[in-house]
Amino acid sequence: MTDLSAFPVTKRWPAAHPDRLQLYSLPTPNGVKVSIMLEEIGLPYEPHLVDFGRSDQKTPEFLSLNPYGKIPAILDPDGPGGKPMPLSESGAILLYLAEKTGKLLPADPIRRYETIQWVFFQMGAMGPMFGQVGFFHKFAGREYEDKRPLHRYRDEAKRVLAVLEGRLADRTWVMGDDYTIADVSMLGWVRNLVGFYDAGDLVGYHELKHVPAWLERGLARPAVKRGLEIPKRG
C-alpha cells in the first residue's frame, strides 16, 4: 500500500485510499476546475473538503501543500518516476493531469500551446476580473459609496466576455471541435458570474449569443455536472 504519511496534509485529511490521487478542494470556480477534470479523464481520486468556514485553508497541514492557502491542491501518489507529487494552483494541476493522462490537451505542439494560452487567459484575466465583480456587486464591496471599482471590473468583465464571444463565434469549444482544459478552466467561472454572483445583467451576458450556448453545452456534460458538486459541502 502506498505510504503518504510523510505529507502533513494526510494528518488532517487521512487517506482512505492512499493509492488514489488525493484532492483537497471546495466547489468554488477554481476548485471545480480540478474536480471536473478528474471526472472527465476518469482518473481514480479521493476528494477532501477544505472547509473555509473552519479556516481549513489556514491550517499548517494545508499550508504544507500551498503556502498561499488557496484551493485546490492535490497529492498524487503516482507522480513522475512513481514518486508522490504534491501540487497546487488550478492551472498547473490541469496541465499536470492532462499531460499525465494524455487527455484534454492536443498532442500537436502548436495546438497544445494555443490551448495553454487560453488557460492562462482564464487565470490571468477571467478569474481575477470576475472575482472582483463578485466582491463589488454581491459581497462587502457593494456597500462602498464609491462605485468606480465596480464599474472598472464590470467593464473588464465585459471585455473578457467579448473576447470569449469572439473566440466561440465559429467554434463549438474554445479549441474548435476539441473539448480541452481551456473549457474546463472557464466553465465554472462563467457559471458563477451569472449564477452565484447574479451579475448577468450587470455585464450584458444576455446580449451575448455564443458564450451562453457554450456554457449550456458544457453544463450538460455528465462529468461537469458531477464535478460541480465535488467535494460535497459539509
Side-chain angles (χ1 to χ4, degrees):
M1 178 178 289
T2 305
D3 183 7
L4 299 178
S5 62
F7 295 89
V9 70
T10 62
K11 303 296 190 295
R12 188 175 184 89
W13 292 277
H17 304 281
D19 56 322
R20 300 179 187 177
L21 183 144
Q22 305 294 304
L23 169 66
Y24 309 91
S25 190
L26 184 71
T28 67
N30 276 333
V32 299
K33 293 180 199 175
V34 177
S35 53
I36 289 172
M37 180 67 175
L38 287 164
E39 290 293 319
E40 291 281 8
I41 62 181
L43 190 67
Y45 70 102
E46 181 178 350
H48 303 277
L49 179 70
V50 180
D51 189 342
F52 285 9
R54 300 186 307 180
S55 296
D56 280 348
Q57 75 278 18
K58 298 178 182 179
T59 61
E61 293 87 355
F62 186 77
L63 293 173
S64 70
L65 277 188
N66 185 354
Y68 191 40
K70 299 293 184 180
I71 56 96
I74 65 170
L75 175 56
D76 184 2
D78 184 27
K83 298 179 181 179
M85 171 76 173
L87 192 63
S88 61
E89 292 297 330
S90 58
I93 297 171
L94 288 182
L95 184 57
Y96 170 74
L97 293 174
E99 293 186 335
K100 175 183 176 73
T101 61
K103 297 179 179 180
L104 302 192
L105 184 64
D108 173 74
I110 293 177
R111 287 183 56 77
R112 176 178 181 274
Y113 279 107
E114 187 179 359
T115 304
I116 294 171
Q117 165 191 275
W118 284 101
V119 173
F120 281 20
F121 169 76
Q122 182 282 307
M123 293 164 54
M126 179 181 287
M129 296 304 106
F130 288 9
Q132 293 290 356
V133 166
F135 176 78
F136 286 104
H137 178 62
K138 179 169 182 174
F139 299 111
R142 74 181 187 278
E143 305 297 337
Y144 294 1
E145 184 176 347
D146 185 352
K147 298 303 178 185
R148 286 176 295 180
L150 170 63
H151 295 163
R152 166 169 168 72
Y153 293 115
R154 173 202 64 194
D155 293 346
E156 285 300 308
K158 285 183 175 181
R159 183 182 174 197
V160 167
L161 287 170
V163 170
L164 185 57
E165 177 78 356
R167 178 68 181 181
L168 293 168
D170 57 354
R171 295 174 174 86
T172 301
W173 304 107
V174 173
M175 288 301 297
D177 293 333
D178 298 327
Y179 174 84
T180 68
I181 57 173
D183 302 285
V184 172
S185 73
M186 297 182 194
L187 284 169
W189 272 108
V190 177
R191 172 181 179 263
N192 209 64
L193 179 71
V194 299
F196 184 60
Y197 292 163
D198 195 25
D201 291 338
L202 178 71
V203 300
Y205 179 81
H206 306 294
E207 301 168 13
L208 304 174
K209 175 182 178 181
H210 305 295
V211 173
W214 162 85
L215 180 62
E216 185 176 354
R217 285 192 295 273
L219 295 180
R221 295 178 68 90
V224 174
K225 291 180 180 179
R226 295 191 300 270
L228 287 170
E229 304 298 326
I230 298 172
K232 292 289 185 182
R233 294 180 184 270

